[in-house]
Amino acid sequence: MAADTTTLTTDCLFARTRVQVCDALRSVVPGLPEEVVQRVDLTPTRDPSHGDMATNAAMLAAKPARRKPAEIAAELVEKLSALPEVAKAEAAGPGFVNLTLKPEVLQGVAVSILKAGDRYGRSTMGQGTRVNVEYVSANPTGPMHVGHCRGAVVGDALANLLEAAGNTVTREYYINDAGMQVVALTWAAYWRYLQVIGTEISADDFSPLTPNGLQYQGEYLIPVAQSIADKHGRALANAEGGPADPSVWFETVRREALTQMMAAIREDLEALGISHEVFASEAETLASGRVDAAIAKLDSKGLLYEGVLEPPKGKMPEDWEARPQTLFRSTEFGDDQDRALRKSDGTNTYFANDIGYHAQKAENADVLIDVLGADHGGYVSRMRAAISALTDGKTGFEVVMCQIVRVVKNGEPVRMSKRAGTFVTLRDLLDEVGRDAVRFTMLTRKADAQMEFDLDAVVAQTRDNPVFYVQYAHARCRSVLRSAETMFGADAVTPEALCGADLTNLSSDVELAVLRRLAAFPRSVEAAATAREPHRIATYCIDLASDFHALWNRGREDTTLRFLHENDRATSLAKLALVSAIAGTLRCALTILGVVPVEEMR
């Protein structure tokens, strides 16, 4: 049987050792189904006294082999103990096998990192799977706010993470430039335009003229209106400077307002370090006929029918009526009820329009991932059903939910933005604490967990601030390496030169603990990518920073742990190889998070 190649990362110690464990399992249990072998996991142990790694191989094989896990574990221990890399293998618990690696194996991790450079932790696990990640997709009706910020950061870090794990990723933004929210924006921009050209008309006076009231009254529309006035003068008003018939101005104001709002959104995203390859227009999707084509495809599969939906659960809306509609048999694909695609008047539902858009994305992707707010929970099963039906199950659909963010300062909620009028803008947040602090902090918790963004905490230079703690670790590493250049010369401390250091000098328990953490990074990348959880990389950064700071502090008391020994070049170079490996791994991890590692703290 060939060696297992599920994970092809060449610099991953866990991946290489897992291959050996899988080979040993096949030897101990001949004929074991390969799907069982593929589920074998190798994880870091929580307690170093239990070794460096633990595997569940014996427990997975027990049922199909009709043997006790302990018996298989005992035979695995015998096989694995004979490996030249293993210092000790022992059975534990109900059938785990713990492995302790020889020190030279862990020491070699530093060399692997130095050789891999910026590619350390990158994997071919995804095997080029085409993943479309759609994130942000804020309505272009106002500035981006803090709620958009979390989804933007999570989506961008997830895209980076999936690329690091070997997927081919497309970053997409869906412009909601059709529908009533755009109508409301257009009327609001026109109201501001009238004010800019000198017409005295208040919100209260203008609101009755609009289809659904004056919904957007923030000052952010004043520059938009000024630009329209600069281009068109008073031509969009009536002779007295008052509101003209919408046929005179509506399309012009709509187009220019959307253009300027999207330009502002792109500027905010760029300030956050985010760029998308694709900006898809809802209006263009509707005009292209893709929605009707998707509905026709579902119809050709016998998945549409005319029917009446059950009334909504809970409180009955006053305007609800039992009307025949065109329904999609989404229950055949796991949804809890069938869904309406066309209303009784023949117009498409929003869900139908969304199906057309997702069908468009599915043409060039194997997996679609939408990063959405937590209020979209009911959306997941219906869209997954539609994508499965349209693609015959060939394209996957997933959703990453982001909970709201509460911004506080001095223990109190931050007051709303003057410019926006109703919310804290992304630009306000960036101006207050900076891009890297925003990005890292947004990724310190799982996306679907509520979080409080404390403006005071994220700029505090204390170990309780994870942004500072991680950046300080990298800056300390770089400071040590700069000092080493002065002591030994720049050529002596390049990654290439340090690969030749005698790493047997890295033998203390605390140094080996850091090497274990470094060895786990490629596995952490693959696990985080599989789970669609970029916050795991932020957690890894915090743990590695903690290990490094602990090593630094131990060196104050134990001189053998210090990084620089002026009269012992060999020992110094070994320590510097470890420091360089830590800095390199932090850089790789922070790059996935979209955070720039600092060279020094000021």
Side-chain angles (χ1 to χ4, degrees), residues 262-277:
M262 280 307 304
I265 287 173
R266 288 181 193 240
E267 287 180 7
D268 284 350
L269 290 173
E270 183 178 349
L272 192 56
I274 291 173
S275 61
H276 294 79
E277 290 94 2

Side-chain angles (χ1 to χ4, degrees), residues 57-393:
M59 291 187 289
L60 287 176
K63 185 174 180 179
R66 296 183 180 180
R67 296 176 57 188
K68 294 180 179 179
E71 293 178 357
I72 298 175
E75 294 185 32
L76 280 175
V77 165
E78 183 179 352
K79 290 280 186 183
L80 296 172
S81 296
L83 294 174
E85 299 87 353
V86 174
K88 181 174 65 174
E90 56 185 352
F96 285 103
V97 174
N98 294 339
L99 300 177
T100 301
L101 303 177
K102 292 179 179 178
E104 56 264 34
V105 176
L106 293 173
Q107 292 156 358
V109 170
V111 175
S112 295
I113 296 170
L114 296 175
K115 287 183 177 179
D118 292 341
R119 294 198 59 79
Y120 182 59
R122 291 189 169 267
S123 163
T124 57
M125 179 186 72
Q127 298 183 338
T129 298
R130 300 171 303 163
V131 184
N132 179 297
V133 184
E134 182 209 325
Y135 54 105
V136 189
S137 296
N139 289 340
T141 54
M144 289 186 62
H145 56 65
V146 174
H148 300 137
C149 176
R150 190 177 194 183
V153 172
V154 169
D156 198 54
L158 176 59
N160 295 341
L161 177 61
L162 291 169
E163 278 188 336
N167 299 278
T168 301
V169 179
T170 298
R171 297 162 174 81
E172 184 155 335
Y173 185 116
Y174 186 44
I175 307 172
N176 297 113
D177 53 359
M180 291 308 299
Q181 78 277 2
V182 173
V183 173
L185 169 71
T186 305
W187 280 89
Y190 186 64
W191 167 59
R192 288 297 191 184
Y193 159 79
L194 293 174
Q195 292 183 327
V196 164
I197 64 173
T199 305
E200 294 185 6
I201 183 167
S202 68
D204 289 341
D205 290 337
F206 188 79
S207 185
L209 305 177
T210 70
N212 293 297
L214 192 56
Q215 297 179 31
Y216 305 114
Q217 300 182 29
E219 295 178 4
Y220 61 87
L221 284 174
I222 295 177
V224 175
Q226 184 64 60
S227 176
I228 295 172
D230 291 343
K231 186 178 296 186
H232 300 279
R234 302 172 63 86
L236 303 181
N238 63 24
E240 293 77 30
D245 188 89
S247 63
V248 173
W249 58 265
F250 186 87
E251 184 54 32
T252 297
V253 173
R254 185 197 71 82
R255 182 180 62 253
E256 297 194 15
L258 282 173
T259 298
Q260 292 188 56
M261 293 311 306
M262 280 307 304
I265 287 173
R266 288 181 193 240
E267 287 180 7
D268 284 350
L269 290 173
E270 183 178 349
L272 192 56
I274 291 173
S275 61
H276 294 79
E277 290 94 2
V278 177
F279 282 82
S281 162
E282 180 183 6
E284 290 178 5
T285 298
L286 296 178
S288 70
R290 290 182 179 274
V291 176
D292 290 337
I295 293 175
K297 187 172 182 179
L298 292 174
D299 194 21
S300 70
K301 293 172 177 282
L303 296 173
L304 302 186
Y305 67 100
E306 295 299 313
V308 178
L309 288 175
E310 292 293 322
K313 296 178 181 178
K315 186 177 180 180
M316 177 74 70
E318 292 181 2
D319 61 349
W320 186 85
E321 295 181 29
R323 296 177 177 176
Q325 301 176 88
T326 301
L327 305 180
F328 163 49
R329 299 182 191 277
S330 56
T331 51
E332 294 187 13
F333 301 88
D335 198 2
D336 58 355
Q337 68 177 61
D338 291 342
R339 304 290 177 175
L341 297 188
R342 285 202 172 110
K343 304 173 188 176
S344 57
D345 62 4
T347 60
N348 292 337
T349 63
Y350 182 82
F351 177 49
N353 294 343
D354 227 10
I355 288 176
Y357 165 59
H358 281 78
Q360 173 181 314
K361 291 196 293 183
E363 292 174 1
N364 299 296
D366 303 306
V367 179
L368 305 179
I369 300 177
D370 288 359
V371 179
L372 302 173
D375 56 341
H376 287 74
Y379 171 90
V380 182
S381 59
R382 69 187 70 178
M383 185 53 66
R384 181 179 293 125
I387 295 302
S388 179
L390 285 168
T391 66
D392 297 320

Side-chain angles (χ1 to χ4, degrees), residues 439-460:
R439 289 191 66 118
F440 195 94
T441 303
M442 289 289 179
L443 293 165
T444 52
R445 300 195 67 185
K446 191 175 179 180
D448 62 1
Q450 292 187 1
M451 78 176 304
E452 186 172 89
F453 194 104
D454 189 324
L455 294 174
D456 299 313
V458 300
V459 296

